[in-house]
Amino acid sequence: MNVKQAQEDVRRVYRAGFSGPLVAAVIWAAASAASQWGSSATAMAVLFFGGMLIFPLSSLVLKLMGGPASLAKGHPSIALAMQSAFTVPLGLLVAIALGAVEPSLFLPASLIIVGAHYLTFISLYGMRSYGVLAGVLVAVGAVAIFAVPALRDLSGWIGCVVLLVFAGSLFVAYRAEFQHTAALTSPALRDGGISDVS
């Protein structure tokens, strides 16, 4: 199996990955709410432990939609997907340590970590749009930390909106590719517009 075929499999099975950012947006909203109306410690716990649930919950979304929800056993992209997933909880340990010193830095630092992990999705899915998602999340976090401290308390909410927007755009991209592929493989198109109905 070549890289292009592996990427096509990942896009097809995971529907361009839209369910991950969708579930992540909900968790970011919960963490942002906890930070705003609860405590920084609660926000850290919500984002850390909630982040561990992103993959199983996004898989559940795919199952509810019908069709496959995981790659076939032995698929070459499984290892890259797992390696990418583990970077987030490990990176969040650094954000938690930073947040313990200065609570307002936790959410923007977490945005940088989550954004950076999406860079591997460019190769995993074969979609440059993940580079845009990574860049936007990293930029929001970096600006909040280094340039506009007033954005620190809002950074989690901004990240939530960004993830929601990208989840929608990824689903649209999946639908467009799926419909195109379905049209190419339809009997009518294969037979030059004439299908055998005998």
Side-chain angles (χ1 to χ4, degrees):
M1 179 181 293
N2 60 34
V3 172
K4 184 177 179 181
Q5 180 59 56
Q7 292 171 334
E8 289 176 357
D9 289 345
V10 173
R11 290 195 302 273
R12 174 180 51 81
V13 170
Y14 294 120
R15 280 72 153 187
F18 90 95
S19 61
L22 179 65
V23 172
V26 175
I27 292 170
W28 271 91
S32 299
S35 177
Q36 185 170 350
W37 295 298
S39 67
S40 59
T42 303
M44 292 177 190
V46 168
L47 197 57
F48 184 78
F49 293 109
M52 294 180 180
L53 298 175
I54 291 175
F55 182 74
L57 289 177
S58 61
S59 295
L60 178 60
V61 170
L62 297 178
K63 286 179 182 178
L64 292 174
M65 293 175 65
S70 62
L71 293 169
K73 186 177 180 180
H75 194 280
S77 295
I78 292 176
L80 178 58
M82 293 298 294
Q83 292 160 13
S84 174
F86 279 118
T87 62
V88 175
L90 295 176
L92 285 180
L93 294 175
V94 177
I96 290 171
L98 186 61
V101 176
E102 176 49 65
S104 69
L105 296 178
F106 171 69
L107 289 175
S110 297
L111 280 177
I112 293 173
I113 291 162
V114 171
H117 118 281
Y118 278 117
L119 289 172
T120 59
F121 283 39
I122 301 171
S123 296
L124 184 63
Y125 285 86
M127 298 176 69
R128 293 178 182 174
S129 55
Y130 276 107
V132 178
L133 175 57
V136 172
L137 293 177
V138 169
V140 170
V143 167
I145 290 175
F146 300 110
V148 187
L151 285 179
R152 291 175 184 176
D153 292 337
L154 296 174
S155 62
W157 294 112
I158 297 171
C160 172
V161 172
V162 169
L163 288 163
L164 276 177
V165 169
F166 270 87
S169 68
L170 290 168
F171 185 72
V172 169
Y174 158 73
R175 287 294 299 270
E177 182 176 7
F178 175 78
Q179 290 172 350
H180 177 67
T181 302
L184 289 177
T185 58
S186 69
L189 187 61
R190 281 201 314 267
D191 300 335
I194 302 173
S195 58
D196 184 3
V197 293
S198 59

